[in-house]
Every structure is written in C-alpha cells, then in structure tokens.
Amino acid sequence: MIPKFLKKRIFTAPTATNSPSATDTNSAASTTYAKAPINQLYRKLSGQLLDVAVKPKLLGELPEFEADDQILRFYVLQDYSRSNSILIDLQTQEHKLPPALVGVNDAAHRIKENAAIIFLNHPNAKDNQLSPRLSRLVSAVLQYPDLKVRLVPVSILWGRAPEKEDSLFKLLTADNWEDPSITKQLFNIGVMGRDTFVQFHPPQDLRTIINDNLKGDTEDDTTLDSVATEPSRKVSNNTDNENNASVSPSYSLMAAADGNRELVRTLQQQLTIYLDKQRASMLGPDLSDRRNLVDKLVYSPAIKHAIEAEAEKTGTSVREARLLAKGYANEMVNDYSHSIVRGFYKFLTWLWTQLYDGVEVHHFERVRELAADYELVYVPCHRSHVDYLLLSYVIYKRGLSIPYIAAGDNLDVPVLGPLLRGAVAFYIRRSFRGNALYTAVLREYMHTLITRNTPIEYFIEGGRSRSGRLLPPKMGMLAMTVHSQLRQTNKPVVFIPTYIGYERIMEGGTYVGELKGKPKESESLIGLLKVGHKIERIFGTVHLSFGKPLYLSEFMQKFDVPANSLPPDRTDTPLDDKTSAMVDNIGVKVMQHINKAAVVTPVSLLSLVLLSAPKAALDESSCREQIALYQGLAQQLAYSDDTVITDMSPQQIIDYGIKLKLIERTPHILGDIIQIAGKQAALLSYFRNNILHVFILLSFLAALVARNGRMERSRLNSIAEQLYPFLQSELFLYYPAHSLGDTLDKKVDSLLSHGLIVELGNGMLSVPESNSMCYQQLQVLATPVGQSLERYFMTLALLAQQGSGNLTENEVVDLCHLLGQRLSVLYADDIPDFFDRALFTSFISALTRLDYLQKNEETGVLTFDHRINDIAHHAKYVLTPDMMQILHQVASLDESEITHAITEISNKKQRKFGRKR
C-alpha cells in the first residue's frame, strides 16, 4: 500500500518556484509537476501497480492536436479520482499524447498548474463546487487575448453495463470518490479493471466556448471587455504582484476568478452535460426490469385504450384482453443482460478471426458525432443472419451502446432465441396485419424505446436479400418510428443507412435454391449446429459502411409535417396523407443512401467482370485490364463520395479470388485463363448485384452504342431517359430525373476518355475498332444491363400477348417468375437474376407508378394501352434480335397453359401457408 502522505503530495506539492529566464518568458512549456524524487517515484510506482490490475481499452479515435507549442492542453474528467488520474496519465504515455500528470508552466501568461487535468467535481472546489483549475484558466484566457487553451474531455468507464433503475450496485461502482474513500476505487480496480474503457473526445477551444457564452449573455460588446480587464486591475493593485507571480502565478489569478463565477459555472455545467451525454451514448439508458417494463406497457394510457377497444370488438372481458396484451408484450420485449453481451463479444471476437480475414468499417465517426444528441435508428441492408451480430459487434467495439434490434420471431428458437433476446433482439411476428391489439403493443414498445433514447435497429427490407440487390423497403417499422416521434419529441430521430458487404456468405447455397422455388428452411437449433462445419472455411473480408445520416426533422420540414401533431396517449391515430408520403420518401432515401455507401470489393469486381465475359472466362491479361478499367471508371466519376473502391491491384484481386476458391486459373501455353470455379456462377451473381448500381448507367450507355455501332448523342440520351425510371426503381439509383441529362453527359464523357467509345463529330458516337482491346472491353461492359432489360421485355411481351384486363398483378409476377426460371435454365446458365420474384414486382410497381399500368383496387386486374408496346420498342436498341425472339417464344402461353400455371402456383402457395400454420 502506498503511504497516504505520498498520495497527497501528487496533488498538493507546489511547482518549481524559480523565475523563468528571459528566453522563455514568451513561450508555453510543460514541466514535471514536481521535481522532488519522491513524487517521481510515486508516479512511477502507482502507474506500474495500476497497469498490472487495469487493462483499459481505447474507444474511438485519438484527439488530433495542432502542431503549436504555444497551446496549453488540459484533460477534463467529470469526477475527482486518483485512479482515474493515474489511468489517464498511463494512456497519454502509451498513445504519445501530451502527458496528464505533468505540470503546465506558462510564465508569459502567469500559469503554473501541477497537472494537466481538470476535475469538474473536485473535493477542493469551493463556491458551490466550481473547479478551481477551470476557474483559473478561464480568468487567464479572459486576461490574455493571445493565450490558447484546448480542453480534451475524457470519458472513463469502469465496466459498460447499463445501470439498473434503483440499483444498489451502482452505488459501489460510482466514480465520484472523495479523498480519503478509496474502498470504491479498489473495488472498481479489482472487479472492473479488465473491463475498463477510455475515450478521448475532440479537443475544444476554451476561448471559443467562453466567447460563445458571453455573446449569448449580453446585448452589447462591453461585457467581454469588462470581464477581460477585471483581472488586470486586481493584479495591478497588488504591489507585490511580480514577486507573487514568480512564486505561483496561478494564485494571483484566483482573485480574478471571483468575478467570473457565473461564467465558470456555465462552462462547467456545459462540460458536465457533454460528458453525461457521451456516457449515455456509450452505456445506453438506465434499464427497467423486464417484468416492470411489461407492466408499464400494459397499463399505459395508450394500451389501456387499445385493450378496451379489443374487448368491445371481440366481446371478451377487459381482463382477458389485458392478459392477451401482456402475452404480446412478453413475446417481444427485450431482456438485456450485460453478461450475455460480454459473452457474445468475446465469442464473436474469436469467431470473426476464424471466419473472416478482417472486418473493415467505413465512415463510423459520423455516427459517433450524432450519438450524444440524437435518437439513432440504424437501417442496414439485410444480407445474412450474421448481420444482427456483426453490426452490434462493430458498434459495441467502437464504444457506443448496442441498438435493440427488431428480429423476426422465426429466430426465437430454443437456446439461440433467449440468448439473442438477452443481448440485442426484441422479437416481432412476421405478419400481424389486422391484429389491432398486437399492433398497439408493438407501437407502444417502440415509443417507449425511442422516448428512453434507446438506439434501435431494423432491417427495412423486411427479410434477407436472396439476389444481392436491395429489396423494396417495407414501411411498417419506419411508420412506427415516425408515429412515435409525432406523439412526443425527446431527442430528434436520425436514420443511419448502413451497407453490409460480404465476400462469401454462409447462406449462399440456400439462397439460390429458394429463388428457384425450394421452400425456405425454418430456423432451428439443428440448423444452427449445421453451420459449425463451415467455420474452417475462408469467407474473406466483411465491410460495414455507414451512409450519410437522414434527419427526420428535415423530412418533416420538407413535407410540412408539424411536430407533436399526434395525441401522446394513443397508438391508433392514423397518419395523414402528407405524413404517409413522407414515410414513403424516407424509405426510398434510406435505400439510396445504403447504395451510396456501397463498398466495391475485390470479389464483387471479379464477379462483375467474369459474369459479363463469354463463357464466364477471360485470359488473365484481359481480366486484369477489365478490372483496371472498372476501377478507373469508378474512381474518375465516383458514384458517391461515400462509395469505397478497393485499392488492391488487378493482379492482387485475381489472386484473392483464387484464394477464396471462387475463381480458378487454368494454365495455357498462350496465356493463363481465369474462369469462375465450378458451380460458383450463381453465387457470384449475388456479389455482382451488390455493386451493379455503381456501373449500371455506364453499362446501359455502352450497350446502346455497342449494339447499334453508332448513335447520335441526343438519341442515346432520349432512350436512356425513357428506360431510366425502371432501372432507378430496381436498383435505387439516386440520380434525379430532372438532372439526368447532365449525369448522362458526364458518363458519356467518361467512356470517351477511356476510349471505349469514339466521337465522330456532329454529336455522333461510335464503337472503337472491332479488333481493338477497347472494343472487347466495351462488349464486356455492355453486358450487365442486358439481363435487366431482358426481364423487362419478357414481362411486357407477356402483358401484350395476354391483353389488357386479363391478368392480375400477382398473376403477372407469378407467371414471369416461372418464365424466368425456364429462360434461366435454357439460355442463361441458371443465373438466379431471371427468376427473382422481387425484381418482377419492382418492375410492375414502377409501371403502375408511372401510369403505364392501371390496377383495379377491387379485383387487382391490370389494364393498359399502346404505350406498353412503346416501352418494349426501346428494348430493340439494346437486345439482339435473337434474344428478343427467344423472349417472345418463352412468353407465348396459350389460355390452357396460363390456367394450368396459375392453378399450380395457387396450390403451392396454399401448401406453403398450411405448413406455416
């Protein structure tokens, strides 16, 4: 045990009293807080002892300091604690930051402090707990206009368990220890030492903070001058001020601080609130016991009203309806357990090293900047069941509280279900349309989470994408979020679109089977165990990219939706037309921002190149050139500032694909051949589709020129503008229609600069020489858009053949799905893009939205006019005559075939529904 008198010296020993020489009177310097050997020994020994017991983890980024020796830097901690002081000192040494337990000596500005740490709540503080050091620094800044002081707020967490409401345990772990009470320090060091976290927040300029406050408190400029000159008058009245300054200039400033009490109190309060918010963003809100939370839900005014309405509607008693509501609440409510979260964290840390070469995270700092002041709603794309764990792991590892995730109740299986509920999940039914009481309970639970500032995550697509494209957004959870915000405003809501990209996925094989029509496998413990044999496989690198935030307040302003416009004690108030339109717009913008944040990985580039090549193979030299071309196109005219392009060289990308066993190299005397490995083509189409939106307009323009040999630039733009809405709907392209012409011109210029097309003059564009490398590259680039246009043409051909008013929307989608399966097997190497039902649904929706199709609301029957043929006419500019003939033949079904197909599809759906029940 260190003697008590030694521990006191670290904080009370005076600084060196020698007067500075003339050469250093104008410079700020840091000197050891006490040159006495005993204090140096104490610092060294105490640091070594704490270093043995405590292994802190750094959260976030290290602060960046200007390269200016005249700047004084102080670390701001919320509560006084010896252990915290030593811990910060160790961290500053480890990360080569300005030291914390070192005296700050600036003779030019009469500052001598024995340490570079400010405690907002200090045991020696007087005058209603004002920090003495902060008071002295404020006075110095006001007195000396050239003084530069940076404050670095620091958060220290001894454990990351969210506090329980009315918990006695948090009394033991409270960090506001006063001097001689070391019991709590020893408890935290012994119990929480291996679960300690430190985060340095961005430096803040003290003068800027002061000026902002003074400007807000005065109507003229005289206050700033009077406060700033007050210290100099008090010092000048002291006849011994120079001698006193040489002994301890800090104390000469103490009197000046008396005139700045309100200012210091305001600054201290602001810093305290800032650190409180940062702590809340890392820990999350205090937790209610699950049983109490369920009771609060059931007896809330909103649910009481819903229960009474349910009882009246069904003819049951209020007690029975309340029990039903309580059962619904028990189905969904999360049961957070920090021990389970820590267990998952340790397990996943091991698992990721077994499965992946790494987890790369992009643009996370934009999330950290919002966490303290906003209600975060993460809206990621949904690729795999791993998404749940991966996103939570990344958020937790980087120091923010993990979000509560809306998970389908299909995951609530034995063993896994309770574990996920204890970590991240609250379960909701896959379908609850028409169940008013269940909807009310879910809305109230969402409202409770949002008003308690709990981060939330839900997959806006509603399910995992089987094709690698984004699915059309489901607006249910989004509407509930908006509904909650309009009932009661606490923190403003911000949506965080999040892109998740894999280079291999565990479910790849089952996805292809499900697209082909195989029934979806139900989640179970046995299914979970079957995944175990895949752990030794190589799954490459995973990428998480956080897109540009979307602020709900900005959408409310755009759509003129007033805040607090819904009754706070009701869940059944419907959204008006303006608000519903706003929800739809938010959904589309979320999808567009997810695509903007896409990561063009080595695997996705390889997939895009090889699946566009004849026989899915290229000689290695051509493969390298095509990869380099795509990288150049993506970098020269970036899809978005958020889009990330792999920095691997083309040769490294090829070698990487071989390592993952997705492609293979076939040696040949005239040059090695790179081709897709056996049975991997369908899987690689998934990864190609992840980035298809980045290149789709370039591919479309390339196809128009390549298929026609030459074309006027104006004609090219006209055709592209006619078909763009369908590509936009399918791939969630963000280019607005009103400025599409400018976008197309830039894309054409990019193709010209790479030599893929040539300009003949008078606005005429042409293909390059047919025996040139550029011509071959143009043909490969033109291929990806073809499959989308083939699906469009096949759908239009089916509609035209069957005639207006003869098929419903569902029948068209079902028939196109069957035709796509047949086409894929016969002509397209079994690529699943042709029979993805979601793509046909998206195309029909786009036709309806653009008024090419009209839908009877009662029968669902589709009607149309000659304009359908006008759209199909444009396909001839991209599709070859042979392909158009094939699509016509495939889509040619007589009445008996139509009837038989619809009957079989209906029977299959009934059997599937029966199995679910």
Side-chain angles (χ1 to χ4, degrees), residues 547-606:
K548 183 180 178 182
L550 295 169
Y551 299 90
L552 179 55
S553 59
E554 293 182 359
F555 286 92
M556 292 170 62
Q557 184 177 4
K558 175 182 175 182
F559 284 85
D560 193 24
V561 175
N564 301 321
S565 55
L566 296 181
D569 57 350
R570 296 284 293 271
T571 63
D572 58 349
T573 309
L575 301 179
D576 59 24
D577 291 342
K578 287 193 302 183
T579 309
S580 297
M582 179 184 75
V583 170
D584 291 340
N585 187 248
I586 294 173
V588 172
K589 292 298 182 183
V590 166
M591 308 311 285
Q592 291 176 350
H593 279 235
I594 290 174
N595 267 348
K596 283 184 177 182
V599 180
V600 180
T601 67
V603 169
S604 59
L605 267 182
L606 273 175

Side-chain angles (χ1 to χ4, degrees), residues 406-418:
D409 61 355
N410 57 309
L411 289 177
D412 193 10
V413 297
V415 180
L416 178 62

Side-chain angles (χ1 to χ4, degrees), residues 505-671:
I505 51 175
M506 293 185 181
E507 303 98 325
T510 61
Y511 284 176
V512 176
E514 290 173 17
L515 286 173
K516 291 181 178 179
K518 292 183 180 179
K520 178 180 177 292
E521 295 182 7
S522 299
E523 281 72 18
S524 65
L525 180 60
I526 294 176
L528 177 66
L529 294 176
K530 285 180 180 179
V531 177
H533 75 279
K534 299 182 179 180
I535 289 181
E536 296 302 323
R537 297 187 185 179
I538 301 173
F539 286 85
T541 301
V542 188
H543 297 265
L544 273 79
S545 183
F546 294 87
K548 183 180 178 182
L550 295 169
Y551 299 90
L552 179 55
S553 59
E554 293 182 359
F555 286 92
M556 292 170 62
Q557 184 177 4
K558 175 182 175 182
F559 284 85
D560 193 24
V561 175
N564 301 321
S565 55
L566 296 181
D569 57 350
R570 296 284 293 271
T571 63
D572 58 349
T573 309
L575 301 179
D576 59 24
D577 291 342
K578 287 193 302 183
T579 309
S580 297
M582 179 184 75
V583 170
D584 291 340
N585 187 248
I586 294 173
V588 172
K589 292 298 182 183
V590 166
M591 308 311 285
Q592 291 176 350
H593 279 235
I594 290 174
N595 267 348
K596 283 184 177 182
V599 180
V600 180
T601 67
V603 169
S604 59
L605 267 182
L606 273 175
S607 304
L608 185 64
V609 168
L610 291 177
L611 286 173
S612 301
K615 304 294 185 181
L618 286 170
D619 70 81
E620 188 162 355
S621 176
S622 297
C623 188
R624 285 196 301 267
E625 293 291 335
Q626 196 74 26
I627 292 172
L629 170 67
Y630 284 7
Q631 286 179 301
L633 289 169
Q635 291 166 352
Q636 179 188 36
L637 191 60
Y639 182 77
S640 166
D641 292 339
D642 287 345
T643 306
V644 179
I645 313 295
T646 178
D647 57 0
M648 281 190 183
S649 69
Q651 187 60 57
Q652 289 174 328
I653 290 175
I654 292 172
D655 294 338
Y656 188 64
I658 294 173
K659 171 189 171 184
L660 295 181
K661 301 179 181 179
L662 296 171
I663 63 173
E664 54 192 19
R665 178 186 285 114
T666 302
H668 193 275
I669 192 171
L670 297 180

Side-chain angles (χ1 to χ4, degrees), residues 221-236:
D221 297 328
T222 59
T223 302
L224 181 60
D225 294 335
S226 63
V227 174
T229 56
E230 169 116 2
S232 62
R233 290 201 304 269
K234 291 187 181 242
V235 172
S236 64

Side-chain angles (χ1 to χ4, degrees), residues 355-376:
L355 289 178
Y356 304 116
D357 292 333
V359 178
E360 294 190 6
V361 181
H362 310 275
H363 314 307
F364 185 78
E365 282 308 307
R366 61 177 31 150
V367 181
R368 192 188 306 282
E369 292 170 0
L370 297 171
D373 298 311
Y374 288 85
E375 166 64 18
L376 299 182

Side-chain angles (χ1 to χ4, degrees), residues 751-772:
L751 294 175
L752 287 168
S753 68
H754 284 83
L756 298 176
I757 58 177
V758 294
E759 197 161 17
L760 301 180
N762 297 322
M764 184 65 70
L765 303 174
S766 175
V767 297
E769 294 293 333
S770 59
N771 59 349
S772 66

Side-chain angles (χ1 to χ4, degrees), residues 399-438:
L400 297 184
S401 61
I402 57 177
Y404 283 21
I405 302 175
D409 61 355
N410 57 309
L411 289 177
D412 193 10
V413 297
V415 180
L416 178 62
L419 286 176
L420 290 177
R421 188 190 295 273
V424 296
F426 65 94
Y427 292 111
I428 61 175
R429 295 181 179 182
R430 305 290 289 180
S431 177
F432 47 89
R433 186 183 298 274
N435 190 336
L437 184 57
Y438 185 93

